[in-house]
Amino acid sequence: RRPGRGGGPNPLVRFLIRRVLTALLLAVGITLVTFVLTNLVPGDPVAANLGQRALGDPAIVAQWRAEHGLDKPLPQQYLLHLQGVLQGDLGTSQQSHRPVLDDLAEAVPATLELAGTAILISLVAGVAFGVIAALRRDRLSDHVLRVLSLVGISVPTFWLALTTFYIFFYRLQITPGSGRIDPGMSAPPHVTGLYTVDAALAGQWDVFSSAIGHLATPALVLALYTIGLLTRFTRSAVLEVLGQDYVRAARAKGLPGRVIMFRYVLRSALVPIITVAGLAFGSLLSGTVLVEAIFAWPGVGQYAFKSATTLDLPAVMGVGLVIGAVYLVINLIVDVLYGVIDPRVRLT
């Protein structure tokens, strides 16, 4: 490894420092965008929270606006909101009357467990199917996998969730119902907020089994679209690498096919695949509203939906900030993985 000019940090370190500083500026921009868009939503939060009867009393309306800071100009409201965010205070939910940060601390692990399981299933199945389709190009298995991936991309997730829940739970009764664990069971001791992990750490294997059963169906439903996307993208990426000169040279040297696939082809193809996987994971975290509603999964999706329908402005802004932060972190992780996988990124 060659150090940077003048003996300073190498180019990858300098790049990561720039990305971290840029991410901090983007985080401030996210707070501004979420605040502006939330306040542009048509509707009166006073009417949504107090009801039409209370609107007839100006004293009650004025008191409510003063308590929630809505009587101040918008620039001052934003500065107060930004000050609270920097201090770790996202405000108080107008519905639950609890700190928004506490509500999100309960909802985010549930969505993270669901989306994390879905992306793991998608990566294993999507990359494997894509490699098989590329190696067996224009054969029957390739055509079958391409058709299945197209179906996975085309089928609406909410329709698949409804159909799966109706057939496998209501009609056949072979999958658990809604929620994260069976009714009557107590949640495992809170460590990470992930029921499967917390139950395993506590040695509560009955709760662990129940959590796995409840997690499997919605995770598979969420993973279907991403599996189709990764299958098609992996196939294209692998086919592009297979046509490179260094792969032909490796074959000419007589290297085993397994070595060529894992050390040459798949490693080079992983850079664009990681990009798609990172964006897909962010989409899963922020787009689980309907699946969580169908399976009664108490995650960020349900929390955001309830907050939006009741014009709970602090909660809506808190959700927007969390989702934006998730995308920033995922993009930063993807940039780090670029340098780990591809040495050319470390040098440039």
Side-chain angles (χ1 to χ4, degrees):
R1 297 181 180 178
R2 293 178 298 176
R5 295 179 180 178
N10 62 46
L12 181 61
V13 173
R14 293 199 302 268
F15 171 73
L16 292 178
I17 292 174
R18 290 197 302 268
R19 286 306 305 266
V20 170
L21 295 177
T22 304
L24 294 176
L25 294 177
L26 288 175
V28 176
I30 290 171
T31 62
L32 178 60
V33 171
T34 54
F35 178 82
V36 172
L37 293 180
T38 302
N39 283 274
L40 288 178
V41 173
D44 188 1
V46 179
N49 288 273
L50 296 181
Q52 294 296 328
R53 181 176 299 179
L55 288 178
D57 191 337
I60 296 178
V61 173
Q63 180 183 357
W64 194 89
R65 288 184 176 276
E67 289 178 355
H68 295 86
L70 298 179
D71 58 337
K72 298 179 177 60
L74 283 180
Q76 189 174 354
Q77 291 183 36
Y78 170 70
L79 291 178
L80 291 174
H81 171 65
L82 182 59
Q83 180 182 358
V85 170
L86 294 177
Q87 296 175 352
D89 181 14
L90 300 182
T92 302
S93 172
Q94 299 165 3
Q95 292 298 308
S96 65
H97 304 290
R98 299 175 56 200
V100 173
L101 198 60
D102 292 347
D103 289 343
L104 290 174
E106 296 178 358
V108 169
T111 298
L112 185 62
E113 185 174 39
L114 179 59
T117 304
I119 198 65
L120 287 177
I121 296 173
S122 302
L123 283 172
V124 173
V127 173
F129 291 160
V131 171
I132 293 173
L135 294 178
R136 302 184 64 83
R137 183 180 182 180
D138 294 332
R139 299 182 184 179
L140 178 61
S141 55
D142 178 28
H143 295 306
V144 171
L145 289 173
R146 290 169 65 185
V147 170
L148 292 178
S149 66
L150 182 60
V151 172
I153 295 175
S154 304
V155 174
T157 304
F158 73 90
W159 179 85
L160 182 64
L162 284 171
T163 304
T164 303
F165 189 80
Y166 175 77
I167 294 176
F168 292 100
F169 170 69
Y170 182 73
R171 300 296 297 181
L172 301 179
Q173 297 183 356
I174 60 176
T175 60
S178 56
R180 300 181 69 182
I181 54 177
D182 293 336
M185 280 189 173
S186 299
H190 182 85
V191 178
T192 63
L194 312 178
Y195 278 13
T196 51
V197 176
D198 291 350
L201 292 176
Q204 299 178 352
W205 300 112
D206 54 340
V207 178
F208 176 81
S209 176
S210 176
I212 288 291
H214 282 261
L215 178 64
T217 305
L220 287 172
V221 169
L222 273 178
L224 184 62
Y225 172 83
T226 312
I227 288 174
L229 181 66
L230 287 176
T231 298
R232 300 178 69 84
F233 206 90
T234 301
R235 179 183 181 274
S236 299
V238 171
L239 285 176
E240 182 179 355
V241 176
L242 285 174
Q244 299 296 322
D245 292 338
Y246 62 85
V247 176
R248 297 193 184 98
R251 287 174 175 170
K253 292 179 180 179
L255 292 178
R258 182 179 301 176
V259 174
I260 295 175
M261 175 55 61
F262 287 99
R263 291 190 180 181
Y264 290 83
V265 178
L266 195 56
R267 188 171 183 179
S268 298
L270 275 180
V271 172
I273 294 172
I274 287 175
T275 304
V276 176
L279 294 175
F281 183 56
S283 300
L284 288 175
L285 281 175
S286 59
T288 59
V289 178
L290 295 175
V291 173
E292 288 184 357
I294 292 170
F295 289 95
W297 196 268
V300 176
Q302 280 212 68
Y303 183 71
F305 175 75
K306 294 177 181 178
S307 302
T309 53
T310 57
L311 289 181
D312 189 349
L313 300 185
V316 172
M317 288 187 289
V319 171
L321 182 62
V322 168
I323 298 302
V326 166
Y327 273 99
L328 291 179
V329 172
I330 289 175
N331 285 331
L332 184 61
I333 293 174
V334 168
D335 289 336
V336 174
L337 291 177
Y338 285 164
V340 172
I341 294 173
D342 194 342
R344 295 171 297 182
V345 177
R346 294 197 293 267
L347 295 176
T348 59

